[in-house]
Structures are given as C-alpha cells and as structure tokens.
Amino acid sequence: MKAVMKPGTGLKEIGMVLAAAELEGLSAYVVRDGDSVAVCMPGACGAEFESRISRLPGVESAAAFARGFKIVSREFRSGNTVVNVSGVRIGDGGTVIIAGPCAVESREQLMRSAELMRECGAHMLRGGAYKPRSSPYSFQGLKEEGLRILSEARERFGMPIVTEVMSPSDVPIVAEHADMLQVGSRNMQNTALLEALGSAGRPVLLKRGMMSTVEELLLAAEYIASAGNRSIVLCERGIRTFEHVTRNTLDVAAVAVLKDLSHLPVIVDPSHATGRRKYVKAAALAGVAAGADGLLVEAHPSPEDALCDGEQSLSPPEFADLCASVQRVAEAVRPAGSRGVGGEL
Amino acid sequence: MKAVMKPGTGLKEIGMVLAAAELEGLSAYVVRDGDSVAVCMPGACGAEFESRISRLPGVESAAAFARGFKIVSREFRSGNTVVNVSGVRIGDGGTVIIAGPCAVESREQLMRSAELMRECGAHMLRGGAYKPRSSPYSFQGLKEEGLRILSEARERFGMPIVTEVMSPSDVPIVAEHADMLQVGSRNMQNTALLEALGSAGRPVLLKRGMMSTVEELLLAAEYIASAGNRSIVLCERGIRTFEHVTRNTLDVAAVAVLKDLSHLPVIVDPSHATGRRKYVKAAALAGVAAGADGLLVEAHPSPEDALCDGEQSLSPPEFADLCASVQRVAEAVRPAGSRGVGGEL
Amino acid sequence: MKAVMKPGTGLKEIGMVLAAAELEGLSAYVVRDGDSVAVCMPGACGAEFESRISRLPGVESAAAFARGFKIVSREFRSGNTVVNVSGVRIGDGGTVIIAGPCAVESREQLMRSAELMRECGAHMLRGGAYKPRSSPYSFQGLKEEGLRILSEARERFGMPIVTEVMSPSDVPIVAEHADMLQVGSRNMQNTALLEALGSAGRPVLLKRGMMSTVEELLLAAEYIASAGNRSIVLCERGIRTFEHVTRNTLDVAAVAVLKDLSHLPVIVDPSHATGRRKYVKAAALAGVAAGADGLLVEAHPSPEDALCDGEQSLSPPEFADLCASVQRVAEAVRPAGSRGVGGEL
Amino acid sequence: MKAVMKPGTGLKEIGMVLAAAELEGLSAYVVRDGDSVAVCMPGACGAEFESRISRLPGVESAAAFARGFKIVSREFRSGNTVVNVSGVRIGDGGTVIIAGPCAVESREQLMRSAELMRECGAHMLRGGAYKPRSSPYSFQGLKEEGLRILSEARERFGMPIVTEVMSPSDVPIVAEHADMLQVGSRNMQNTALLEALGSAGRPVLLKRGMMSTVEELLLAAEYIASAGNRSIVLCERGIRTFEHVTRNTLDVAAVAVLKDLSHLPVIVDPSHATGRRKYVKAAALAGVAAGADGLLVEAHPSPEDALCDGEQSLSPPEFADLCASVQRVAEAVRPAGSRGVGGEL
C-alpha cells in the first residue's frame, strides 16, 4: 500500500502512518518524489486497513498494494497492460470475445464451432484438449489429438486459440499448439504449474479459483509474473456460495476491484458463473458493464449433444445475439475514443 | 413447475413426468389447454430438477414454479408487474433511481440531500428513520421525528419516500408518512412483519437477506402477497460469502433469475453490495445491464460526515456521474420502445 | 479489547497500543490496577486485530472485547453464568439435554414425546407452537392451543418447557406458558423482538442465525441483556455454507469461541446442524467435546410421521443411545468435581 | 447408490426406482442376492436424492454411492480400511496423533520438535519441506534439504514421517524420504499430482480443499485409488465460510459423513481448522468425538519463533495436555475392545 501525504504534512502525521505499518508487522519507508511525500508499505492490504490509513490525519489517499503482489499491482504500473495474443489485443479498451465448446470432441465438431463462432463475431477460439474433471471416470479430453485439431482450426479460420494446461510437464506441448495457455479454476494455486508458465513464452489466461479471494488470484498471477511472464489475463468465473440456483455466483464487483488493484486485463466467464444457458447473457452484459475487457463464453454448434457442460453452452443464434448486445453495452460504458490507451508490457 | 409436453405425446411420456413428481413427493396433475398438454407440479423447484424434467422424452419445456410461491411466480402472471409508488412506476421498462442518505440525521441534512438527489436525477428519496443495527449501542435512528422530516421533504421536493419499518406495531405510523415501506435484509424472514405489511396499504420494498437464497426471497414476498398486498419490489443487495474485499458479494445473476421466476420488479442496491464508494458505480451498471428495474443508492451531501455507512455513500458529483452512466447502459440493454409493456397489478 | 502490558513497560510501548486504537478509530484509555497496566479499547474486535496487538512490544496478552457487546462479555464477568430454568441449571458444568419434537402436533403426540424423552434422560422439553416457515403455505403451528398442550406436559411430567416466540406481541402469552423463550435462527436480528424479551421475565434461548457471525450473535444477546434480561443461553445450530451433504455446517469451534468471549452458557443443536438423523449423534458428541453446556435435540415418538423435520428427528431408541454416549463424553472432557463452579447472574 | 428393496416387493416398486434413475440420467440395474433384491445406480448421489429414493414404496434402505467414486466407497468395501504407515496403523479403532511444526526450518528445530512430540505421545511426525504459499515471496521451504532432515529425524526417533508433495515430478524424491505423502488443500484437485501418487508406493494423506465438498474429496481419493494406490487417509481441515473469527470452519460432521460414505480412515487437522492456538484443543476433541481416526496437529518447540503458522502451533505443554484429553475422549466414544476390527487393504 502507498499512502500519499498531503502537502506540508509534518513528522507527526508521517509517524502515525509508520506506526500503523509497524502495528501490522510490516516494513514501511518514506518516499519523497519532488514536493510530495508518501509512505510505502509493500505487504499491506485489505479494505479495512486501507480505509483506516486513509482516515489518518495528513493522509491524502491510500492505495492498496496487496500483501505480496508487486509486479501485477497498480503501483508497479499505473497504465493498463495490453496482452497481445497473436494479434488480438486484450486490455486496450475494446471487448474481446473468446468462444467455443467446453471440450474438443472431434475434428468436425471443432471446425463447425470455429466457423460459427467467427461468423457470430468471436475474436478467439477456446476448446479443451485436457479436461480437469472431478471424477476420474469422466471424459478427460482428447489430449494431444485435441491440440492438433485446435491448431488446424487456427490455421483454417485465422483465430488465435486458448486451451487449458494442467501439468508442468504438458506446458511445452500445449505452448507449441496454442496461442494462449489457460490455468483452470482448480489449478489456480498449483504453484508448480504457475512457475512453469513463467517460461512458457505464451500469454496466460488465469482463472480465479472458485474458492479463492481476489487477493489470492493476484498472488497466483504474481507467481507467473515473478517467474518471467507478464502477459497475463485474469478471469472472474464465479465463486462458490450457499446459493445454488446458479452453478456459481458471479462476483461482478471483483472486475472493478481487480482493475483497481492491478494493471492486468480482466475478462469474465458468464458460462461457468451461471451454469445455465438462460442466464448467461445477463451475466455477460453485467461483466462488460462492470468494466471487463472481454468474455470467455461456452458455445456449441448443438449444445444438446455436447459431451460436457451442454447446459451452459449457447447455441449459435444465442451467441450471435449475445455478441450484438455486448457491443451496445461496451459502447455505453466506454468513453468514445478510449481504445488503445494501454500499452503492451 | 410446469412441464409442457410436445404435441402428440403419449401416455408413457406423461407417466414418466408424473412418476418424477411422485419421486419428489409432490402432487402432480395433468392440464389440457386446447391442443397442448402440461403437467403441473405446484411444489417442484430447483435448477437440477428442472433440467432433469426438461430432458425427459416428450417434454418440450419445463418452467420452474418454485416450492411454495404462487402469487409472485411467473406462472401466476406472465406479464411484468408495475408497482406504482405515488406516481413513480417501477417495472415498466425504465430504470428508477432511489437515492438518499443511510439515515435521516437532521432536518437540514435531509433537505439538502433531497434537493441534491433531485437535481442529479433521482426519482425517489430514501432515508432511514428506524435503523437496524447490529449493536444496541449504535445510533438507532430519529424514529418518529425522522418520519416527519421525510414527510416534509416529500412535500417540498415532490419525491416519493421509501423508509424502513422494523416491527409490526410500527407499520401504521410508517405507512402514514412514507410512500413505500422497506423490509431490511435482517428482517426478510420476520414473518410477523411480512404479514403485517399485507394490510399496510403501501407498496413494499423487500430486500434479500444477506444469507437468503433466491427462493427464500420469493417465499418472503409470497408471505406479503398472500396477506393481501401485491405491490412488492424485490431488491438484490449482496450476499455474504468468503470474499471480504467488498462488504458483500453482489449476486448480479440473481436479477435475471428473479425476473425469470417472478413477475415482480427487481432493483439492485450497489451500495450495500460493495460497501466501498469506488466500486458502487461498477456494481450499479452491472445490475442495470443484468436487467434491473432500478437502483437503490446511498448518497450523502458530505459522505465523510455521515453518521452511518459513510464509506459507501456517494458524493453529489459521483451520484450525478452514476445517473448519467446508468442512463446510457439502460438504453443499451433495453430495446427501443419497450417502456410501458407491463401493467399494474 | 483489553491489552495487559508486561510489568515495567514504558511509555513508548503503551503509546504504541494507544496509536493502534486511534488507527482503528477507537477510543482507548489506560487502566492501572495495582502494579499492572492495561489499555482498554471498548469497541475493538476481530481475531486479526487481537493478534496484531498481542505481537506489539510490551504487550503481555490481548483479550477480545468485541465491538459493542459489553454485558455479555467475559470482561464484564469472568465467572460462568448459570441460567436457572425452573430448577434446571444450564452452565454449571453439567450437560443439559433439551429434547422433543419439532412441532407440537397434537395433545397425544406431545404427551407421548414428553414421557419418552423423560425416560431417556432429557432434562427439558422442547416443541414448537409457533413455527417459522419459509413458505406461508406450510404448517405454521398450533399456536395458543400448542402452548396449552405444552403447559399440560410440564405439569404432568415435571419438565421445564422451551418454545419459540416470533413476534414482540406474542411475548406475554408465550412467557405465561413456557419456562424459557426461544428466539429462532431467522429472528436473531429481529431487534424489536430482542428488546421485548428484555422484560419477558423468563430465560431466553437465543439461536445463532444461519449466516450470522459469532460477533453478531453476541450483539443480539447484548440487545436482550441491555433491555434488562441477563438469563440468556446461546445456541450454535449450524451455519450456511457451500456444503450441502448436511443441511447446515456445525461450527463446532464456535462453542469454544463463545465460551472464551462470553460468560453465557452455550448449547448445540445437532439436529438442525446436520439435518440428517444418522449424523446427529456425531455432531452432538462433538459439541459436548468442544465444551457445550447442553444440547437441543429433535426427537419424536415416530419420526416418519412428523409434520416437520422428520428426517432429522431421532427415534426414542436413538435418543436413549445418544444420552448415554453424551454422558460418557461429558465425563471425559470435564474435570472431576467441576460442577457447580458458576453462579446465577 | 444402492436401493435395497423390501422382501416380496413387486415389479411396480422396482420399476419406480428404475424410473427414478432414468429421470436422473443414470444407468440402473437390478441385482438379486439370494432372497433380496436391490437396484444399483452407480452414478447416483446426494442427500436429497437418497432421501427421495428411501421414501419410495417398497424401498427398505438406500445407501449413497456417490457420483463417480467407487473404489473408495462403502459399497465397494464394507469393512474399515486400515492404512499402515511404517507400522503405525490408521483406521483400526485407535486414535493416531501426527504432530510437528508447520515447516522444517533447521536441523536443530526439527530434532527438538521430534523429541518433544514423541515424549508427549505423538505417533508420527509431520513437517513441511515443500511449502505451498499464497505469495511467491514467502518462505517456500527447505525442499530437498528439508527432506534429508526429516529422514534423519525418523531414524533417530523412530517415528514415521509425513510431508507434503506439490508436483508430480517431486513424487519420487519425496517418496524416497517420507513414509507418507501429503496432498495439501490447494492441490486437492491437481489431478496430475493425484495420478502420480497412484504409483508412489507410499500411503497418501489427502487434505480436503478449503472449499471442496465431501463428494469432491472422495472423487479426488478415487483418482489416487484408480491410479493404483488404495492406502489413502482423508483429512478434514476446515472449510472456508463467511465466519472469520477462526481461520476456517471445522466441518466436524464431515467426519461422520466420510466414515459413512467411505471405508477410508479420516483424520482431523484442528490447527488449520481454527488457526488460533487457544481453540485447537476444543476442535481436536470434537473431531475425535465425531469419530476421527486421528489428528494432524501443528506443534512447535517455541511457537513464537515459528517461520510460519506460529499463531496456530501448540507449545509442548499444550500439546501434552491435548494428547491426554484426546485419550479420554477416544475411550468415551469407542466401545471397549473395538480396536483392530478393520483390515489392511
């Protein structure tokens, strides 16, 4: 956290902030930048602490600098990061739509999907070759065969590919075929995997664990960044709560919180967040209205035949309708001419 | 739940649905409406059961008809209900903004609030005279004096008033001064209060309990409706989860779920949902994008001086900015000419 | 919170604690008691803050004194409170078993229940006359007729009665018939009801809200205590979490936390906590092992015929087995001769 | 799930169960075993479904057979599995205590810990060489050096060692030094790791994810079992809820649920469950009272100096007191002569 002091603040006020840091068990140091004075507390975090600091006499503003994450924090980089995935720019003010089926089921299914998604307006194609499943007896994906099908679709339809990687030892082969590597919700704190992605040479799509706080998501991103890879896109995909009418609960405010605490792009997965086709559109529009840089949407040529997650997959007409509505909401929330303000890291 | 059968469906398929109901321990009966056949299961509910039924052979569609709520359900009334609060119509396709301070603190504070809110574009004024507080030692509100101040603000600025009522015995006096009576989150399952509101003669704003499911919220509304009062507006205000970077977690998809299951208007309270001023706007826009009929926003002439909830109250310029953005998003999500489709109940 | 300083601590260390309080926005004052020095912070609370304070140089120990509750706190009274319910003493080191059906269904059912419960070893009888139900169409209890049946059972079997009260206006009539008044989970923050119980003239059994924190439970107790009634027994009955294999999740550690923060007796309701007959015994024994002063158990002469909660009600043989096991565990966790150490408030 | 039918049940009743399975989208088959008839539904699960099936006419009992787990289920093996860890038998009716510091910090610290733990009554030694940390900048463990220190402690004090493994590629080296391999909460759904443990040749201690359901825990165990390793001990270590007065919420009823659904031993980690030294004992006794086969406890020669988790580590006298109390409660809940009833798998 960085507490910026008001001009002319005396030693007593600065001392109070230093004492606050010590009380938290944190190191703190005073930074002078021209006329302004600030107190930096590298490990400080939490809404409550931030609000307490900001109410101290002499403090002009206190900005979070959450415990342990540095490279991915706003203090590290005040402008927005733009992640370039083989030409598709995520985080530059536009709304990138990544769509496709839950799993790559066959060559035919994926080609048909890719064609339909592109027609409807998707910018990137998603599809699982390695599938994390709760049960060892469920369909685990086509694995390498799936990767080859994804590669072929990229060539044929000119859309970058994102697909999940589940083990450090699979990072090289997935990186060879895909444009972007996805870390799934269940593996968000698989630190061996996060570290391996540091040298993957590909952008990473990091999904929030269904049971993870915003801070833990940023710390997971910090693992990747500190291992050498700063091309990271964060994804809010719903958290687990007591409410079960939807599969998860979309934490839409987390989009704003993440954009506030970090310079990384943030996208929303309305499909896993709701788990029910008829609520996907509302969740998608909510995410865009809250400031998301893009969407990750499950769509399938014929959802009723899908091998997994058919209940939450959109049909092509539903997906086309979603894309059109997203466009209108994105224009409503983004000031004209705002695209392109960020820079690539 | 109502399962509509495909044309020409035979006895075997209908029998399967009846068996499903019996297995749930529910009564079920076959309804013929012209050529179409449906199976009604009054107490059936749940996403999982609905999806199971909808996959049965011969079933064209299955629509939830959640356990125990009838009058407030979509099956009871397919069109949207419009609640008329002294001339302000909630649920007719527009976006109603209700704003004001957490608590009525003084005559001056409320008059200043009302004037500023009206200038910024609010349609109704909120303010607590009776305050539910976790601690008996916290400020409990000005009570009757607060009601009189609210009444005066209504007369002077021509805005309908909504304020909370906490006890059955207070219903008459609050109904005398306010245009709409609010049930707070902590009292959502206070059934004695809900029943008393059945004969209050005023519309009710029913806030979701921070720990209550969507189904429980609809059942609470059913208590009011079955006691004689159908002018009810539902309010999603954030639920309690493990995430504490925001005060609560806005369950934005619940807006779509509630509009799907019920004909009642739904508004969103982004102030309690986030608890932090800087995230209120994102949550508000997300709510509108998800289909909310309005917003309940805490704003204060000088938030830093507020006796309660100052951290989540918007300043007048922040509130004016919010109103302008809400307008743009509302236009983006609502088809042109969609206003006025509902009817008053 | 009270921070007790180490002997010989200097001004610098005391000042650090005072600064910590100011940073929290709390008043703090130094108390000298003979040779020892302490800093009292009436509104301070939270595990995190307590741990931070306890790590400060010069601090010997920091004991919570949670925000807003005073009369019910350990600081207010270091010995255990014993609540006397018509001769049954709760909190004196023994394990009081309160048992009976969810609802009073008929005179016959209740008399049979009372007889069986007494034979099996119950000390008090429970049974609902006013039933809080999520749906207005569910059985709402026999009301006054139920109260009369309960009164009769008390006379006939010599067991004190506890039953729920749901509205301030019902307090007098319930207090006339019952020995102890229960506040249900849904009404834990119904402050009008809590205040009315202040002058009920009967001990109160206060159940924790299913999504209320330990601190909120103590604040609810403080409402009753500050309104004049200090005969309060707290009840942990399971909280709402993402896990649904049981109806709720028994927060068994809360028993120890409550006993640590408050001098009031604490009992456990294993029936609502698990919602499934076959897990009730494990939850009951766990509660006793964690230090509970008693149990509130649903048992029914023939659970399969119960009008409500039959799935979680024990049959008479199951209940007798539970009582015997409870006795053994209670002896294992309580030092010999520990009974009777508390005093009535 | 297996539904056992009453003797003499007719086709209609069996058909009803078959229809129920079909409605769930499950395969079902009728099994005749002598005179008795049962319907097996391999993928069926859930308390609600089980209860629905058990209420059908003609059904004598329905026992869960949760979706996807087979080898680890009670149906697969009705007796209790005993896991033998280098001579220490977990699951045979006794209460095994595994204790030690959070992390191996130095040779001296671990030797001192091992000596003290053994004196106090621990059966096995724990200590982290590879530490999963939320932040990449926190202490990550001594790694291989830590493993060597653990090995040395085993030789010197004759206690089997359990330590965490975090990556498939580390399985061989950890298996070389440790007697039992631990999967941490964050890696419970790291399926690559689970599969690698199938051929580790060492028993596995599988900790429940902090926001994973009981069913997901059993499915994770099934991954290990189906990959070839059936020596698995499950560990309940607290789940993440809204309550933050303790670090997590011990789901003590899950012990009984797991013992009901699976034949695997179950232990409890009261240290992570509460996160606060003063509540560890209550949680430990509750776990034993609920039927746990053992405890995993953090203890440290001088908790205030611990590099991690010092707040929840017991001092040697506290640990000795815990061991004595555990013994008394274990005797109270276990029928005399019950040890040794299980068999090794």
Side-chain angles (χ1 to χ4, degrees), chain C residues 82-301:
Chain C
V82 176
V83 172
N84 187 325
V85 186
S86 305
V88 173
R89 291 162 53 86
I90 309 180
D92 76 346
T95 306
V96 172
I97 300 182
I98 308 170
C102 170
V104 181
E105 299 166 11
S106 70
R107 201 179 158 284
E108 291 64 34
Q109 170 247 22
L110 196 75
M111 296 305 150
R112 182 105 187 86
S113 291
E115 188 175 14
L116 287 165
M117 300 306 123
R118 196 183 55 175
E119 277 173 18
C120 296
H123 307 98
M124 283 179 60
L125 183 66
R126 55 150 292 160
Y130 297 82
K131 297 300 305 168
R133 302 304 292 268
S134 295
S135 167
Y137 308 120
S138 299
F139 173 58
Q140 309 275 323
L142 296 181
K143 304 189 175 172
E144 285 193 46
E145 170 67 11
L147 291 177
R148 279 190 294 271
I149 295 171
L150 284 164
S151 267
E152 186 185 338
R154 183 206 14 240
E155 299 309 315
R156 193 153 141 198
F157 299 100
M159 297 165 83
I161 297 291
V162 58
T163 198
E164 181 161 352
V165 59
M166 292 167 60
S167 174
S169 57
D170 291 336
V171 168
I173 190 167
V174 180
E176 189 185 315
H177 289 89
D179 300 276
M180 185 180 214
L181 277 60
Q182 176 178 318
V183 177
S185 190
R186 291 172 178 83
N187 278 311
M188 194 201 84
Q189 293 194 313
N190 180 341
T191 51
L193 178 61
L194 300 175
E195 284 165 355
L197 288 165
S199 49
R202 294 281 183 197
V204 175
L205 177 58
L206 178 64
K207 299 190 84 173
R208 180 179 181 184
M210 68 184 80
M211 221 159 161
S212 298
T213 62
V214 158
E215 187 187 344
E216 288 166 343
L217 172 59
L218 290 170
L219 286 167
E222 187 80 17
Y223 262 99
I224 301 171
S226 66
N229 187 348
R230 297 182 179 183
S231 289
I232 305 165
V233 174
L234 306 172
C235 180
E236 159 61 33
R237 45 76 75 205
I239 57 173
R240 192 168 261 189
T241 71
F242 65 87
E243 175 65 80
H244 287 247
V245 71
T246 43
R247 183 167 165 183
N248 291 288
T249 299
L250 177 64
D251 182 5
V252 77
V255 175
V257 176
L258 288 167
K259 300 285 295 180
D260 180 39
L261 298 180
S262 172
H263 50 84
L264 296 176
V266 179
I267 68 171
V268 160
D269 173 350
S271 306
H272 284 86
T274 60
R276 301 182 70 184
R277 197 180 309 166
K278 62 181 165 179
Y279 303 135
V280 167
K281 182 179 170 184
L285 298 184
V288 172
D293 297 294
L295 296 170
L296 181 70
V297 182
E298 286 193 1
H300 193 280

Side-chain angles (χ1 to χ4, degrees), chain A residues 133 137 211 216 222 240, chain D residues 137 211 216 222-223 240:
Chain A
R133 302 303 294 265
Y137 307 121
M211 47 187 100
E216 289 166 344
E222 188 79 17
R240 192 167 260 188
Chain D
Y137 308 121
M211 221 159 160
E216 288 166 344
E222 188 80 17
Y223 262 98
R240 193 168 261 188

Side-chain angles (χ1 to χ4, degrees), chain B residues 39-302:
Chain B
V39 180
C40 281
M41 295 161 278
C45 78
E48 193 210 355
F49 183 65
E50 185 181 326
S51 132
R52 232 185 307 138
I53 292 290
S54 63
R55 287 194 307 264
L56 286 181
V59 173
E60 188 162 288
S61 68
F65 194 101
R67 196 181 308 278
F69 58 90
K70 298 186 177 98
I71 303 173
V72 305
S73 74
R74 271 281 173 216
E75 288 89 340
F76 188 87
R77 187 172 208 270
S78 60
N80 291 326
T81 285
V82 175
V83 172
N84 188 324
V85 186
S86 305
V88 172
R89 291 162 53 85
I90 308 180
D92 76 346
T95 305
V96 171
I97 299 181
I98 307 171
C102 170
V104 180
E105 299 166 11
S106 70
R107 202 181 157 282
E108 291 64 35
Q109 170 247 22
L110 195 75
M111 296 306 149
R112 182 102 187 90
S113 292
E115 187 175 14
L116 286 165
M117 300 306 123
R118 195 183 56 174
E119 276 173 19
C120 296
H123 307 99
M124 283 180 60
L125 184 66
R126 56 151 290 160
Y130 297 82
K131 296 301 305 168
R133 302 304 293 267
S134 295
S135 167
Y137 307 121
S138 300
F139 173 58
Q140 309 275 323
L142 297 181
K143 304 189 176 174
E144 285 193 45
E145 170 66 10
L147 292 177
R148 280 189 293 270
I149 295 172
L150 285 164
S151 269
E152 186 185 337
R154 184 207 12 241
E155 299 310 315
R156 193 155 141 197
F157 298 99
M159 296 165 85
I161 298 292
V162 58
T163 198
E164 181 160 352
V165 59
M166 291 169 61
S167 174
S169 58
D170 292 336
V171 168
I173 190 166
V174 180
E176 190 186 315
H177 289 90
D179 301 275
M180 185 178 213
L181 277 59
Q182 177 178 316
V183 177
S185 189
R186 290 173 180 82
N187 278 310
M188 194 202 84
Q189 293 194 313
N190 179 342
T191 51
L193 178 61
L194 299 175
E195 285 166 355
L197 288 166
S199 49
R202 294 279 183 199
V204 175
L205 176 58
L206 178 64
K207 298 191 84 171
R208 180 179 181 183
M210 69 184 80
M211 47 186 103
S212 299
T213 62
V214 157
E215 187 187 344
E216 289 166 344
L217 171 59
L218 291 169
L219 286 166
E222 188 80 16
Y223 262 97
I224 302 171
S226 67
N229 187 348
R230 297 182 179 183
S231 289
I232 304 165
V233 173
L234 306 171
C235 180
E236 159 61 31
R237 47 76 74 208
I239 57 173
R240 193 167 260 189
T241 71
F242 66 86
E243 175 64 80
H244 287 249
V245 71
T246 43
R247 183 167 166 184
N248 291 288
T249 299
L250 177 65
D251 182 5
V252 76
V255 175
V257 175
L258 288 167
K259 302 283 297 179
D260 180 39
L261 298 180
S262 172
H263 52 82
L264 295 176
V266 180
I267 69 171
V268 161
D269 174 350
S271 306
H272 284 86
T274 61
R276 300 183 70 185
R277 197 180 308 167
K278 62 182 165 179
Y279 304 134
V280 167
K281 182 179 170 183
L285 299 184
V288 172
D293 297 294
L295 297 169
L296 182 68
V297 182
E298 285 193 0
H300 193 281
S302 49

Side-chain angles (χ1 to χ4, degrees), chain A residues 20-41:
Chain A
E22 183 162 350
L23 289 166
E24 287 276 332
L26 301 166
S27 60
Y29 47 94
V30 178
V31 179
R32 281 172 210 282
D33 182 9
D35 285 353
S36 87
V37 176
V39 180
C40 280
M41 295 162 278

Side-chain angles (χ1 to χ4, degrees), chain A:
Chain A
M1 186 181 295
K2 189 161 72 172
V4 179
M5 308 304 291
K6 288 179 186 156
T9 306
L11 275 181
K12 190 180 151 201
E13 286 78 13
I14 294 170
M16 192 74 98
V17 179
L18 291 171
E22 183 162 350
L23 289 166
E24 287 276 332
L26 301 166
S27 60
Y29 47 94
V30 178
V31 179
R32 281 172 210 282
D33 182 9
D35 285 353
S36 87
V37 176
V39 180
C40 280
M41 295 162 278
C45 77
E48 193 210 356
F49 182 65
E50 186 182 326
S51 132
R52 231 185 309 138
I53 292 290
S54 64
R55 286 195 307 264
L56 286 180
V59 173
E60 187 161 291
S61 68
F65 194 102
R67 197 181 308 277
F69 58 90
K70 298 186 178 100
I71 304 173
V72 306
S73 74
R74 271 281 174 213
E75 288 89 339
F76 188 87
R77 188 173 207 269
S78 60
N80 291 327
T81 285
V82 175
V83 172
N84 188 324
V85 187
S86 305
V88 172
R89 292 163 52 85
I90 309 180
D92 75 346
T95 305
V96 171
I97 299 181
I98 308 171
C102 171
V104 181
E105 299 166 11
S106 70
R107 202 180 157 283
E108 292 64 34
Q109 171 247 20
L110 195 75
M111 296 306 149
R112 183 102 187 87
S113 291
E115 187 176 13
L116 286 165
M117 300 306 122
R118 196 183 55 174
E119 277 174 18
C120 295
H123 307 100
M124 284 179 60
L125 183 67
R126 55 150 292 159
Y130 297 82
K131 297 300 306 167
R133 302 303 294 265
S134 294
S135 167
Y137 307 121
S138 300
F139 173 59
Q140 309 275 323
L142 297 181
K143 303 189 176 171
E144 285 193 46
E145 169 66 9
L147 291 176
R148 279 190 293 273
I149 294 172
L150 284 164
S151 268
E152 187 185 338
R154 184 209 10 242
E155 299 310 315
R156 195 156 140 196
F157 299 100
M159 296 164 84
I161 298 291
V162 59
T163 198
E164 182 161 352
V165 59
M166 290 169 58
S167 175
S169 58
D170 291 336
V171 168
I173 190 167
V174 180
E176 191 185 314
H177 289 90
D179 301 274
M180 184 179 214
L181 277 59
Q182 177 178 315
V183 177
S185 189
R186 290 172 180 82
N187 278 311
M188 193 202 85
Q189 293 195 312
N190 180 341
T191 52
L193 179 60
L194 299 175
E195 284 165 356
L197 289 165
S199 49
R202 293 280 184 199
V204 175
L205 177 58
L206 178 64
K207 298 189 85 172
R208 180 179 181 183
M210 68 185 79
M211 47 187 100
S212 299
T213 62
V214 157
E215 187 187 344
E216 289 166 344
L217 171 58
L218 290 170
L219 286 167
E222 188 79 17
Y223 263 98
I224 302 171
S226 67
N229 187 348
R230 298 183 179 183
S231 288
I232 305 165
V233 174
L234 306 171
C235 180
E236 159 60 33
R237 47 75 75 207
I239 57 173
R240 192 167 260 188
T241 71
F242 65 87
E243 176 63 82
H244 288 248
V245 71
T246 43
R247 185 168 164 183
N248 291 287
T249 298
L250 177 65
D251 182 5
V252 77
V255 175
V257 176
L258 288 167
K259 302 283 298 178
D260 180 39
L261 298 180
S262 172
H263 52 83
L264 296 176
V266 179
I267 68 171
V268 160
D269 174 350
S271 306
H272 285 86
T274 61
R276 301 183 70 184
R277 196 180 309 166
K278 63 181 164 180
Y279 303 134
V280 167
K281 183 179 170 184
L285 299 184
V288 172
D293 297 294
L295 296 169
L296 182 69
V297 181
E298 286 194 0
H300 193 280
S302 47
E304 60 282 1
D305 298 326
L307 287 188
C308 72
D309 284 348
E311 274 184 43
Q312 70 193 35
S313 292
L314 299 184
S315 66
E318 289 166 334
F319 177 61
D321 170 57
L322 177 88
C323 290
S325 298
V326 161
Q327 194 57 32
R328 285 197 302 273
V329 171
E331 281 162 16
V333 291
R334 298 257 163 72
S338 73
R339 282 195 66 137
V341 292
E344 290 172 37
L345 196 59

Side-chain angles (χ1 to χ4, degrees), chain C residues 21-98:
Chain C
E22 181 162 351
L23 289 166
E24 287 276 331
L26 300 166
S27 60
Y29 47 95
V30 178
V31 178
R32 280 171 209 282
D33 182 9
D35 285 354
S36 87
V37 175
V39 180
C40 281
M41 295 161 277
C45 79
E48 193 211 354
F49 183 65
E50 186 182 326
S51 132
R52 229 184 311 137
I53 292 290
S54 64
R55 287 196 308 265
L56 285 181
V59 173
E60 190 163 288
S61 68
F65 194 102
R67 197 181 308 277
F69 59 91
K70 299 186 177 100
I71 303 172
V72 305
S73 75
R74 270 283 173 213
E75 288 90 339
F76 188 87
R77 187 172 207 269
S78 60
N80 291 326
T81 285
V82 176
V83 172
N84 187 325
V85 186
S86 305
V88 173
R89 291 162 53 86
I90 309 180
D92 76 346
T95 306
V96 172
I97 300 182
I98 308 170

